[in-house]
Amino acid sequence: MFARNRSGSDRVLSDMKAKQKRYEALVHAFHADIYRYAYWLVKDKAIAEDIVQETFLRAWRSLDALKDENAAKPWLITILRRENARRFERKQLETVDIDDVSLHDDTQVAEGDVQDRDLHRLLGQLSVEYREPLVLQLIMGFSGEEIAQQLNLNKNTVMTRLFRARNQLKEALSQQNEIRGRHNG
Amino acid sequence: MDELEFRRRIYADPNTTDSDVIEAAKNNEKLRAFWNEQKALDNQLKQVLNVSVPDDLAHKLIWQQSANDLARHKHKTPWYIGLAASVAFVMGVGVMSWVNKPVSLDVHALAHMQYAQTEQAHSPLPVDLAQVNAKLASFGAEFTGMIGDVQVANYCHLNMVRSLHLIMDTPEGKMSVFIVPQRNDVDIPDSFSDTLYRGESMRMQRANVLVVGDKASDLSEVKQLISERMQFSA
């Protein structure tokens, strides 16, 4: 009986509630991975959090555009990458002294045991074009094709970058161990 | 597959299930060792990449969305729409105390809010004298000259009484003018106010005119203009 008497504004309200619920589900499911992705993109915890907030705000505004729940992850990543690009545009407009920006790098002061710390630092030192596909593969669980699609590259390029990323890490790690060995020995 | 190619493939994806890679590893212990080593490094990488996430991030994201929504909603509702609602409210109070039976004021206020909001969206252009007079005609009245910068002119219902609502831009700020037919069952106080707005009414020949503006604004000039320029047909 109540259902039959439901007025237009009730329906609007319940639509809003449904959208709200959907948004909250999206936040719970993806905020952690999206935050980590942002962190490895910008290497700064505070900026990463800012970008994630912007990302989800935009996601909320265009939530109706997300038709397929399976596409949520790439959709959010696309928004996040755009937000990050926007940040650089702003920075350029402000014409700040280059010495003042990007000095802070949370990856270089990571905590944990020695090996994790080393690895964390080395990951931070990788150039972003190598680090980004690696993060997509390891955090997001993307396949080569999915990474290629996300980054708008061809698959061979992606596989080469993944190879180089691990290759560089491996070399840097063994160099580090050598230095350490020499110091200890 | 040579060793270099094998390494390339493993470095690119240590979890590969490509049959040629698996085939190559089958017969070569050295490659298998390399592969295992790489898998171990990958697990370590995963651990390191999984940095800790701020505890309250999820709550923040949900909170900021509702806070932002509220701010946007507030922003979208200019003060004179609130004013229209408050006029509806004031008239509702007036009528209620006169009729002495309960009237659901919130419904009127809300209905009027909705009206005013869609009205804003539909008419971005200022209104000219002919348009105002066309609407005034149903009250048997007309303006002999424009009374100022009228931005919106449309009928609305204040507690079931069909009225003409003009939203004006004046040097004293935005004002609303309501032209209400004279009826025995409508009672309007000479002046009324709430915390934000104040209004005054005039009894004209065949209609009541309400002028409502900001609490601090001077309504006399607009009232003066209206009483000079409003004429009723015989």
Side-chain angles (χ1 to χ4, degrees):
Chain A
M1 200 174 104
F2 285 111
R4 219 187 316 152
N5 287 344
R6 242 166 56 150
S7 69
S9 67
D10 275 350
R11 212 171 306 122
V12 169
L13 263 178
S14 74
D15 280 355
M16 289 279 292
K17 265 187 200 154
K19 186 181 173 188
Q20 180 75 33
K21 263 197 166 158
R22 199 170 168 226
Y23 174 77
E24 285 178 23
L26 197 75
V27 168
H28 287 304
F30 299 115
H31 79 280
D33 282 350
I34 289 292
Y35 170 81
R36 290 179 181 124
Y37 189 89
Y39 172 81
W40 287 108
L41 207 57
V42 300
K43 302 195 287 182
D44 182 295
K45 290 175 191 166
I47 297 174
E49 203 175 321
D50 274 0
I51 296 179
V52 172
Q53 291 197 356
E54 276 302 315
T55 300
F56 275 93
L57 210 53
R58 279 187 196 273
W60 161 259
R61 285 181 200 151
S62 48
L63 196 55
D64 297 335
L66 177 67
K67 301 285 183 225
D68 177 7
E69 301 299 330
N70 292 326
K73 224 190 238 184
W75 182 68
L76 285 170
I77 293 170
T78 302
I79 300 176
L80 183 134
R81 297 184 80 236
R82 217 181 293 140
E83 280 311 310
N84 188 42
R86 236 186 270 271
R87 193 172 64 90
F88 280 105
E89 279 164 28
R90 276 202 297 271
K91 226 167 227 169
Q92 267 176 358
L93 285 176
E94 285 164 7
T95 58
V96 275
D97 191 339
I98 198 66
D99 290 340
D100 292 342
V101 294
S102 311
L103 271 183
H104 185 73
D105 184 342
D106 282 333
T107 61
Q108 304 307 304
V109 289
E111 288 164 23
D113 65 37
V114 180
Q115 246 224 313
D116 280 0
R117 222 158 51 213
D118 281 350
L119 214 49
H120 198 121
R121 214 158 27 79
L122 293 173
L123 275 164
Q125 284 166 1
L126 274 185
S127 83
V128 71
E129 62 180 10
Y130 293 157
R131 190 169 57 237
E132 205 176 3
L134 196 64
V135 168
L136 282 173
Q137 191 181 48
L138 289 176
I139 294 183
M140 299 294 180
F142 278 19
S143 70
E145 281 90 358
E146 286 168 325
I147 298 170
Q149 214 171 4
Q150 185 81 60
L151 300 182
N152 214 359
L153 297 168
N154 76 45
K155 197 198 160 194
N156 283 339
T157 310
V158 169
M159 295 326 263
T160 305
R161 287 187 188 182
L162 286 168
F163 155 74
R164 290 205 181 130
R166 286 198 177 82
N167 199 26
Q168 282 185 14
L169 283 174
K170 199 83 181 266
E171 274 174 18
L173 269 179
S174 60
Q175 262 176 25
Q176 197 117 52
N177 291 340
E178 241 172 65
I179 294 167
R180 243 186 215 119
R182 227 179 284 145
H183 277 299
N184 293 343
Chain B
M1 182 184 297
D2 64 11
E3 196 179 321
L4 189 67
E5 174 63 12
F6 182 85
R7 279 171 189 270
R8 281 188 80 90
R9 299 277 285 275
I10 295 296
Y11 269 144
D13 183 6
N15 290 311
T16 181
T17 50
D18 291 351
S19 51
D20 48 346
V21 175
I22 294 170
E23 201 56 43
K26 234 179 214 168
N27 311 312
N28 189 327
E29 201 172 329
K30 198 177 148 206
L31 294 186
R32 269 207 307 279
F34 169 78
W35 194 350
N36 283 332
E37 194 187 320
Q38 201 48 46
K39 274 187 179 164
L41 180 64
D42 241 42
N43 283 334
Q44 212 184 342
L45 274 175
K46 255 185 221 171
Q47 247 175 36
V48 172
L49 284 171
N50 273 327
V51 290
S52 58
V53 177
D55 282 341
D56 51 351
L57 185 59
H59 293 114
K60 253 190 216 167
L61 294 173
I62 289 165
W63 165 248
Q64 67 152 10
Q65 171 269 313
S66 35
N68 180 268
D69 240 30
L70 190 70
R72 276 159 70 89
H73 184 71
K74 270 190 177 165
H75 185 71
K76 265 197 240 159
T77 312
W79 66 267
Y80 43 87
I81 285 168
L83 180 152
S86 84
V87 168
F89 181 80
V90 165
M91 294 201 49
V93 170
V95 171
M96 187 171 80
S97 53
W98 191 78
V99 188
N100 200 19
K101 73 180 176 195
V103 178
S104 44
L105 295 171
D106 50 342
V107 176
H108 295 296
L110 266 177
H112 199 82
M113 278 277 282
Q114 275 171 7
Y115 150 76
Q117 218 158 7
T118 49
E119 208 46 47
Q120 272 309 101
H122 289 167
S123 53
L125 295 170
V127 183
D128 65 21
L129 181 62
Q131 284 169 284
V132 177
N133 276 341
K135 290 189 165 122
L136 264 179
S138 68
F139 297 87
E142 64 167 355
F143 285 131
T144 55
M146 202 50 171
I147 53 165
D149 180 9
V150 177
Q151 298 189 316
V152 177
N154 231 329
Y155 297 115
C156 65
H157 287 86
L158 296 179
N159 194 26
M160 313 275 279
V161 181
R162 189 164 180 267
S163 318
L164 180 62
H165 181 188
L166 309 176
I167 298 174
M168 298 177 56
D169 205 8
T170 78
E172 295 281 320
K174 284 255 163 49
M175 285 190 194
S176 273
V177 175
F178 295 87
I179 293 110
V180 189
Q182 280 182 356
R183 274 165 43 173
N184 290 335
D185 57 348
V186 175
D187 187 48
I188 301 161
D190 291 339
S191 66
F192 47 89
S193 64
D194 66 2
T195 51
L196 291 171
Y197 315 111
R198 64 189 208 88
E200 288 175 18
S201 68
M202 297 187 285
R203 265 181 96 82
M204 305 286 287
Q205 204 179 326
R206 270 159 48 190
N208 286 313
V209 175
L210 288 88
V211 181
V212 188
D214 200 278
K215 189 110 193 172
S217 62
D218 182 6
L219 308 173
S220 57
E221 203 175 308
V222 173
K223 275 177 71 182
Q224 175 79 25
L225 268 171
I226 291 173
S227 57
E228 276 172 20
R229 296 190 176 167
M230 189 180 256
Q231 282 192 345
F232 291 87
S233 54

